[in-house]
Amino acid sequence: MITLTDIAYVRSGAADLDAATRFATEIVGLELVTPTEVGVAHLRADGRHHCLALVEGPSGVISTGFRVADSDALDAAETELERSGISVHRGSPEEARSRRVREFIGFDDPFGNRVELVNQQETVARPVAFSRGAGITEFGHLCLDAPDVHEAYRFWSTRFNARVSDWLGDAACLMRIDPVHHKLAVFRGDEPGLCHMNFQVETIDDLFRNWHFLVEHDVEIEMGPGRHPQSGAIFLYFLGPEGFTYEYSFGVRRIEDDATWVPRTFDPAEPGSIDMWLGPTSRPLTQPQLRQTELRQTELRQTELRSAESRPAELRPAQAAKAPS
Ligand SMILES: [Fe+2]
């Protein structure tokens, strides 16, 4: 059993990195971390160095990251996944640096979603310099697609510590890895991908102010404002560039007493099961998972950008090799 201690990040490819970054900052309100890596925009919402990395290259999800407790836990996870026949990639130091983690492993879930387990995600002490006052308090949850949400639950609950909080029939499985009602959700979808990335906001007023702000800025509202009966959260889903769906929400339920919580099943066809305020509902757009060939294109593009950026070797200061003493 692999214990996930928290969600870590979403990494997403952007064909137009500038436009995607502008939306993430000026519209969503995230902080653009001072760039240190050409072709990558790190976006911050809370204590994490970043929770969203936009990477110049083919448009689509690169990976989603989850934390484990320490290095031993990561090694044990690697062994456990490999023993069960899952192919595991150990991240290079350069890849780990870009993710601002000490080390990580990557693998595909049975549905083709690229998942990364990380150890020691970097925390930044200074307050977040939000690009606008959206009221964001933290990266709240992420939602993946899979063709069978029951199979997805079997994967996440047998190999990992995920527990179902509530079911939306065959359409969604909402899972917790800590007291928050769901930090990981799986929605039914034919292809792997990221259904949405959620940010919690501080007050209900923030949520409604954001709604007006998005409407004024001609952002496509996919669903909401409404209220999910499962988590009790007031939600607003909206569409960003590259088919990336963001969600703001406020007031998510916490399940403090695990032993007494009984998961419920809601029929998605029943009025009020998705939005208890009975507003119009629609399925948020999923950003597809990048396939192996596209992931290689992303790597090639990053290599190109880095080599264009780097100065010729003869101009670099000489590095004196230290002899071991
Ligand atoms: Fe959500």
Side-chain angles (χ1 to χ4, degrees), residues 63 75 87 89 102 125 132 138 144 148 158 169 179 196 198 224 256 288 302 325:
S63 59
D75 290 348
S87 163
H89 163 78
R102 183 167 179 272
R132 75 172 187 91
E138 62 178 338
L144 301 173
D148 183 333
T158 56
H196 63 271
N198 170 284
E256 302 290 356
Q302 293 302 307
S325 50

Side-chain angles (χ1 to χ4, degrees), residues 133-320:
I136 291 172
T137 55
E138 62 178 338
F139 169 28
H141 63 256
L142 61 88
C143 178
L144 301 173
D145 272 16
D148 183 333
V149 299
H150 303 280
E151 276 302 313
Y153 177 60
R154 189 162 294 127
F155 176 73
W156 286 105
S157 64
T158 56
R159 304 213 180 285
F160 302 90
N161 58 321
R163 286 145 293 161
V164 62
S165 294
D166 283 311
W167 295 96
L168 202 54
D170 298 329
C173 176
L174 308 172
M175 291 174 270
R176 65 189 186 280
I177 53 174
D178 63 19
V180 174
H181 180 276
H182 59 278
K183 280 207 169 163
L184 168 64
V186 177
F187 278 25
R188 187 180 55 209
D190 292 336
E191 300 295 331
L194 181 84
C195 175
H196 63 271
M197 178 177 194
N198 170 284
F199 294 97
Q200 299 290 307
V201 295
E202 195 166 8
T203 67
I204 190 171
D205 302 319
D206 291 313
L207 193 121
F208 277 81
R209 270 195 293 265
N210 286 331
W211 176 42
H212 288 300
F213 177 88
L214 296 175
V215 170
E216 272 166 28
H217 288 78
D218 295 322
V219 175
E220 184 180 335
I221 306 292
E222 295 181 286
M223 190 165 45
R227 189 170 189 196
H228 289 312
Q230 297 79 21
S231 62
I234 296 163
F235 62 80
L236 182 63
Y237 294 85
F238 57 102
L239 188 60
E242 320 263 345
F244 191 104
T245 294
Y246 292 91
E247 180 192 14
Y248 292 130
S249 72
F250 161 73
V252 68
R253 182 193 305 280
R254 289 176 66 88
I255 299 172
E256 302 290 356
D257 186 1
D258 237 16
T260 59
W261 181 262
V262 180
R264 301 160 300 171
T265 298
F266 296 78
D267 178 353
E270 198 66 44
S273 64
I274 294 169
D275 176 9
M276 56 199 288
W277 294 346
L278 304 178
T281 58
S282 64
R283 168 73 156 80
L285 192 73
T286 288
Q287 187 182 57
Q289 168 71 50
L290 290 179
R291 305 298 178 147
Q292 211 52 51
T293 48
E294 295 161 317
L295 289 170
R296 270 197 291 276
Q297 283 173 32
T298 307
E299 281 167 24
L300 284 173
R301 179 71 189 134
Q302 293 302 307
T303 308
E304 271 172 26
L305 287 167
R306 276 197 300 272
S307 59
E309 177 89 346
S310 62
R311 290 188 294 166
E314 62 270 22
L315 297 181
R316 282 184 225 139
Q319 295 278 316

Side-chain angles (χ1 to χ4, degrees), residues 21-30 131-132 213 217:
T21 305
R22 259 199 317 279
F23 188 90
T25 51
E26 292 169 17
I27 301 295
V28 184
L30 304 174
S131 301
R132 75 172 187 91
F213 177 88
H217 288 78

